[in-house]
Amino acid sequence: MTRLRTYSSLGVNVFPVSLGGNVFGWSASPAESFRVLDAYTAAGGNFIDTADSYSAWAPGNEGGESERIIGDWLASRRNRADVVIATKVSAHPQHRGLAPATIAAAAEDSLRRLRTDHIDLYYTHFDDLSVPVEDIIAALDRLVTQGKVRAIAASNITPERLEASLAFSAREGCARYVALQPHYNLMEREFYETSLRPIALRHDLAVFPYFSLAAGFLTGKYRPGEPIDSVREPRVTKYLGTERGHRVLATIDQIAATRATYPATIALAWLLAQPSITAPLASARTLAQLPPILAAADFDLKDDELTALSEAST
Ligand SMILES: NC(=O)c1ccc[n+]([C@@H]2O[C@H](COP(=O)([O-])OP(=O)(O)OC[C@H]3O[C@@H](n4cnc5c(N)ncnc54)[C@H](OP(=O)(O)O)[C@@H]3O)[C@@H](O)[C@H]2O)c1
């Protein structure tokens, strides 16, 4: 049985890998999305991440596709009480930014699409510097008081605004950010480790890193000189052919071969072993991509393997 990680701020235990939902309705059809969601929960997974804006960037989409698929899946499987649902506000084309009225309206739309009466974890997706943190937290606190949101969290935010938000919550005794969703993986370490991690540790925030697989690069499926057949192409090209990218993949390959597991599992296991990390997020476009992600939940890297990966990615 997979060891769940206690996410004390919410009072629930979550599976060590959160299932990313940006693929649902983008690179994954609704039918394949249902298959991935079914397989993830069948394996013990209970933590699903989405955003109101997923996937507005895709041709023909308007935003809300991922939430709608998850909502339909929850309704058809009648399992809302068994899963922890995280979603985000600030980037939906009809609800941009974090003005209090925008947050209130966006939350209603997310609840409607998710076909639920509450969101377990509600993130500010991208910070909005035009709104004082006090107003943002007050708007989120109202949602908590109304029972529409269980807990609040921040994603793309500066250390200064995160600290200011936490200080305001402490001063006012209102809802506080209990979790953080930073961009963090073997190829992207410096900003999180130097700027946000100290705050996360000091304030005991749960941390759920995104792009844990560097948009697929850390699965090892892309190699220099080979064509990239993926909607993720712009995000992985920047790592291909770099000295550091080569070092990291070579180290992952070697450990994966020795331990008879998948490269993606190694990349996620490294994250799980880092200080402050609660559960990395990763998404599977197909059912076939899920096993390496699930395997990370029960896989421990040895000390020398962790050191080799950390050194290769420095
Ligand atoms: N807060 C934020 O600003 C933010 C930003 C980005 C993401 N997120 C969240 O984090 C989640 C994870 O991020 P992400 O999905 O963008 O990136 P990711 O987890 O780093 O990469 C996922 C992609 O890697 C490929 N992949 C996964 N498993 C594979 C396997 N076993 N074999 C081969 N390829 C595999 C698939 O892409 P292919 O289509 O190429 O197969 C998949 O869509 C998202 O779903 C979303 O919930 C949040």
Side-chain angles (χ1 to χ4, degrees):
M1 177 107 108
T2 300
R3 297 151 296 172
L4 296 183
R5 292 201 153 193
T6 303
Y7 173 17
S8 53
S9 327
L10 251 191
V12 296
N13 293 326
V14 290
F15 193 73
V17 185
S18 171
L19 187 65
N22 65 5
V23 287
F24 303 146
W26 173 32
S27 53
S29 67
E32 192 67 7
S33 305
F34 270 42
R35 281 191 280 276
V36 168
L37 286 159
D38 282 341
Y40 172 73
T41 45
N46 68 345
F47 191 18
I48 298 165
D49 184 88
T50 185
D52 63 352
S53 55
Y54 297 166
S55 45
W57 59 84
N61 282 2
E62 56 184 24
E65 289 78 13
S66 171
E67 285 185 338
R68 210 168 278 124
I69 287 173
I70 293 168
D72 290 347
W73 176 78
L74 289 170
S76 85
R77 302 313 189 246
R78 297 172 176 273
N79 61 355
R80 177 65 187 93
D82 304 329
V83 289
V84 176
I85 299 287
T87 192
K88 317 185 190 78
V89 55
S90 86
H92 190 284
Q94 285 169 4
H95 302 296
R96 286 201 190 281
L98 294 172
T102 305
I103 292 176
E108 292 301 333
D109 281 357
S110 285
L111 288 167
R112 189 174 40 76
R113 284 188 293 261
L114 288 164
R115 300 174 67 172
T116 182
D117 62 355
H118 71 280
I119 294 160
D120 295 298
L121 189 59
Y122 200 41
Y123 286 96
T124 51
H125 198 167
F126 299 93
D127 198 7
D128 178 350
L129 299 181
S130 72
V131 185
V133 295
E134 292 78 1
D135 294 356
I136 296 171
I137 296 294
L140 294 170
D141 181 63
R142 272 191 289 281
L143 292 173
V144 174
T145 306
Q146 292 165 353
K148 295 174 181 172
V149 162
R150 291 274 155 86
I152 63 171
S155 186
N156 302 288
I157 190 167
T158 62
E160 295 77 20
R161 294 262 295 183
L162 178 58
E163 286 273 28
S165 305
L166 292 164
F168 174 75
S169 295
R171 224 168 34 242
E172 298 298 316
C174 62
R176 75 187 276 269
Y177 288 141
V178 297
L180 188 63
Q181 188 175 129
H183 186 180
Y184 183 45
N185 59 50
L186 273 164
M187 297 303 296
E188 303 283 346
R189 293 180 53 187
E190 192 175 342
F191 178 68
Y192 174 69
E193 290 181 3
T194 58
S195 301
L196 292 172
R197 182 163 73 188
I199 302 174
L201 289 170
R202 199 161 52 246
H203 293 276
D204 196 22
L205 303 182
V207 180
F208 308 117
Y210 70 80
F211 282 150
S212 300
L213 299 173
F217 177 77
L218 294 170
T219 67
K221 69 176 173 178
Y222 305 114
R223 302 287 165 166
E226 293 175 16
I228 299 176
D229 178 22
S230 170
V231 290
R232 308 286 192 150
E233 193 261 321
R235 293 216 179 263
V236 292
T237 307
K238 64 179 175 178
Y239 304 125
L240 268 180
T242 64
E243 171 58 28
R244 201 161 68 91
H246 174 75
R247 266 199 327 264
V248 169
L249 281 192
T251 311
I252 287 179
D253 284 345
Q254 191 259 315
I255 298 171
T258 309
R259 302 284 305 274
T261 190
Y262 311 92
T265 306
I266 301 295
L268 296 173
W270 178 84
L271 274 173
L272 271 163
Q274 300 311 301
S276 80
I277 300 304
T278 312
L281 273 73
S283 64
R285 175 177 52 83
T286 63
L287 197 53
Q289 291 183 345
L290 196 58
I293 293 172
L294 293 172
D298 289 310
F299 186 89
D300 285 321
L301 285 162
K302 298 173 184 161
D303 287 348
D304 61 322
E305 295 167 339
L306 284 168
T307 304
L309 288 162
S310 297
E311 283 178 6
S313 62
T314 296

